[in-house]
Amino acid sequence: MTRLSVPKESFTGLALRRGGRRSILEDVDQTRSRAESRTKFLLDETQLPRRWYNIAPDMPAAPQPVLHPGTGEPVGPDDLAPLFPMELIGQEVSEEPEIEIPDEVLDIYSLWRPTPLYRARRLEEAIGTRSRIFYKYEGVSPPGSHKPNTAVAQAYYNKKEGRTRLATETGAGQWGSALSFACRLIGLECKVYMVRVSYEQKPARRSMIKAWGADIVASPSEGTQSGRAILTERPDSPGSLGIAISEAVEDAAGRDDTAYSLGSVLNHVLLHQTVIGQEALAQMELAGAFPDVVIGCVGGGSNFAGLAFPFLREKIAGREIDVLACEPAACPTLTRGVFAYDFGDTSKLTPLVAMHTLGHDFVPAPIHAGGLRYHGVAPLISQLVRDELIRAEAFLQNDVFASALVFAGSEGILPAPEAAHAIHGALQVARLADEEGEERTILFNLSGHGHFDMAAYDNYLAGNLEDVALDEAEIGRALHAIEGLPTPA
Ligand SMILES: Cc1ncc(COP(=O)(O)O)c(C=O)c1O
């Protein structure tokens, strides 16, 4: 047998030195050992949070009850049992401040978690700010976003309670790929209803969902009553998250082996995302800093909540933090919607939840941040906006893409168009601070990479992106849909 012989000098980092072997780990760069000059703040796998943080018991005003659309009375666990496993229903209404993460879920999390936290030094230089900018990067997960943090947990509890198949919707395709990844690893079948405009804009996301073994169709589809009703009225419907949710809920409600899985909005989904903020708190400590401003983009609200809730716990306890939610001007739910009871889907199949909404049949313009095209926002976030613990701003997509390219040109990562809203928010905050002669510590969530969004970048670079800002009349028209529904207390 021939042995492979590799010249010692090819291991440059492990070079033999006079006086014996020296490990690369001993070659500590003294400059970079100081937090002030470091780029990445990393946690070890053993430092993965062991519990999710539940903000509900810490909130100054209790969230409004979820109502049965038929009776107007609060829904009970039995009403939700056809759609969700009991363990998730329990988490939905839990008053426990922390909920233990099952070992099986932690095992899968450890494939990519803890995720890195970066000091965006090059971005700071590029815009010439005096502020310090940090970002938590969730794009390192296998599907490329924060979504698997809840997908894995949901697949786990469903499997444990005997379901063999999950049905879901997806906007940009990030959630569909996350759930198809989780179902593959846990051993469940998966059906994905993908909003038609994204299905057409993002063939590679479609392929990724199929590669993990899920069945995928464009929504509205002919396969459900909800889909057929929409197509009869509007055969060229671009679809929306509200419509795709109706299709997935109908699918799940009609089959005993199938549960419904939602990628955002619900309390238990936001809960599962709080690993992000808990890690970020520890990493900011490693950096010797604490944020003055915490920023995330908001579709249904899960990545924003994931980063912000553990910091809001500090804010509620008395620390001063500005918490900013960034949304598209084409779907300005928090900035221009109303706080009201509404359905989570277009065909009115879900219970009624109190949230900021533009009305359940509002179909947002087909902007490229497909994951932010949702008529409502998580009830927990809506309540916290109402209580003035969170503020919100809306941005036009050309401004957002311009900021995405400033970020890509300095930090290197091409962000998902959704995540670019948080980048734009961070740049706005930094610019304003500079104008006011202030120096702030800014932390934002980079919820995913944009490697499957290159058509959007092509459109932007070719000058073909339209800015869509809604006029008041259109919002008024959309809000007719909620007339007659119960009013929150
Ligand atoms: C990368 C990315 N960020 C953000 C979102 C918005 O969802 P949420 O508000 O639930 O985080 C999505 C949704 O698909 C997404 O793909």
Side-chain angles (χ1 to χ4, degrees):
M1 202 206 296
T2 26
R3 280 174 188 247
L4 280 179
S5 109
V6 183
K8 287 197 186 82
E9 54 277 17
S10 65
F11 297 99
T12 44
L14 295 172
L16 277 180
R17 305 269 163 87
R18 206 189 294 266
R21 214 178 269 275
R22 202 175 132 107
S23 153
I24 194 167
L25 297 176
E26 289 173 62
D27 269 336
V28 173
D29 176 339
Q30 294 302 328
T31 328
R32 290 199 183 266
S33 71
R34 290 198 306 272
E36 202 30 52
S37 50
R38 271 167 65 180
T39 306
K40 289 193 295 303
F41 297 91
L42 304 174
L43 298 176
D44 186 74
E45 206 170 299
T46 56
Q47 293 168 297
L48 243 167
R50 314 274 318 171
R51 282 168 286 278
W52 292 302
Y53 165 57
N54 180 18
I55 200 168
D58 287 335
M59 286 169 63
Q64 310 269 325
V66 174
L67 303 181
H68 191 288
T71 62
E73 293 298 314
V75 296
D78 291 345
D79 297 312
L80 299 173
L83 292 182
F84 302 107
M86 273 303 160
E87 198 110 22
L88 292 179
I89 295 172
Q91 291 178 5
E92 196 59 24
V93 294
S94 174
E95 282 295 313
E96 291 299 316
E98 292 183 333
I99 291 170
E100 200 160 327
I101 307 176
D103 283 344
E104 293 84 340
V105 173
L106 283 172
D107 268 357
I108 298 182
Y109 277 179
S110 68
L111 289 172
W112 73 95
R113 304 211 71 84
T115 60
L117 181 124
Y118 288 83
R119 167 89 186 266
R121 238 169 252 293
R122 289 167 182 277
L123 177 66
E124 290 167 16
E125 269 172 40
I127 60 166
T129 184
R130 299 154 46 143
S131 290
R132 291 188 292 178
I133 305 179
F134 294 85
Y135 61 96
K136 179 77 168 152
Y137 186 39
E138 288 294 306
V140 293
S141 76
S145 79
H146 64 293
K147 297 282 181 182
N149 296 332
T150 183
V152 171
Q154 292 191 42
Y156 166 80
Y157 289 118
N158 274 291
K159 169 98 174 188
K160 195 170 155 215
E161 292 185 27
R163 280 343 204 280
T164 57
R165 181 175 174 272
L166 295 182
T168 197
E169 74 295 325
T170 193
Q174 288 272 21
W175 168 242
S177 35
L179 194 68
S180 114
F181 156 77
C183 284
R184 182 71 192 206
L185 266 64
I186 299 244
L188 295 173
E189 285 177 55
C190 181
K191 171 81 180 239
V192 179
Y193 294 85
M194 184 168 185
V195 175
R196 182 172 298 277
V197 56
S198 298
Y199 188 88
E200 281 155 11
Q201 279 170 353
K202 300 188 177 190
R205 271 281 165 208
R206 235 155 63 193
S207 310
M208 194 178 197
I209 290 169
K210 284 189 198 156
W212 275 312
D215 181 14
I216 176 169
V217 288
S219 165
S221 78
E222 292 287 351
T224 63
Q225 255 176 32
S226 315
R228 286 190 296 273
I230 304 270
L231 287 173
T232 307
E233 243 176 62
R234 192 177 163 189
D236 65 340
S237 167
S240 69
L241 276 171
I243 295 169
I245 292 173
S246 297
E247 293 206 89
V249 168
E250 186 184 323
D251 178 321
R255 290 176 60 153
D256 284 346
D257 63 349
T258 302
Y260 169 60
S261 181
L262 186 64
S264 191
V265 179
L266 297 177
N267 302 354
H268 68 265
V269 181
L270 275 51
L271 172 86
H272 300 153
Q273 293 293 351
T274 58
V275 285
I276 303 174
Q278 292 182 70
E279 287 176 8
L281 268 167
Q283 288 163 309
M284 290 300 290
E285 210 170 300
L286 285 180
F290 192 85
D292 302 308
V293 194
V294 172
I295 301 174
C297 69
V298 172
S302 71
N303 87 89
F304 171 78
L307 178 68
F309 282 6
F311 286 93
L312 278 164
R313 181 189 222 170
E314 306 286 319
K315 182 167 178 167
I316 293 165
R319 265 187 120 139
E320 215 175 288
I321 316 173
D322 177 19
V323 183
L324 172 62
C326 304
E327 62 182 11
C331 190
T333 321
L334 285 172
T335 47
R336 296 174 70 193
V338 294
F339 183 79
Y341 269 107
D342 196 5
F343 294 94
D345 72 314
T346 306
S347 301
K348 307 193 266 190
L349 299 177
T350 67
L352 290 166
V353 291
M355 60 179 176
H356 284 83
T357 179
L358 292 164
H360 52 263
D361 57 13
F362 175 72
V363 178
I367 52 164
H368 277 286
L372 306 187
R373 294 176 68 243
Y374 183 58
H375 67 272
V377 174
L380 290 177
I381 293 175
S382 292
Q383 183 67 48
L384 291 161
V385 167
R386 206 181 182 208
D387 294 338
E388 297 181 358
L389 284 159
I390 298 172
R391 68 185 178 95
E393 285 188 24
F395 304 130
L396 294 168
Q397 63 174 345
N398 276 298
D399 295 340
V400 167
F401 273 90
S403 293
L405 288 188
V406 171
F407 183 79
S410 47
E411 295 294 311
I413 299 169
L414 267 167
E418 292 83 3
H421 286 70
I423 296 173
H424 188 64
L427 296 191
Q428 298 277 85
V429 169
R431 282 193 191 116
L432 192 67
D434 288 330
E435 276 165 31
E436 290 169 352
E438 301 256 338
E439 208 172 283
R440 318 203 72 187
T441 300
I442 300 165
L443 169 65
F444 71 86
N445 198 10
L446 190 67
S447 53
H449 66 65
H451 299 172
F452 295 90
D453 300 283
M454 297 321 294
Y457 280 94
D458 283 346
N459 274 332
Y460 171 70
L461 291 168
N464 290 339
L465 278 198
E466 261 182 60
D467 273 333
V468 186
L470 292 172
D471 61 37
E472 269 316 300
E474 208 171 331
I475 293 180
R477 201 163 44 243
L479 285 173
H480 277 316
I482 61 169
E483 276 170 14
L485 293 177
T487 319

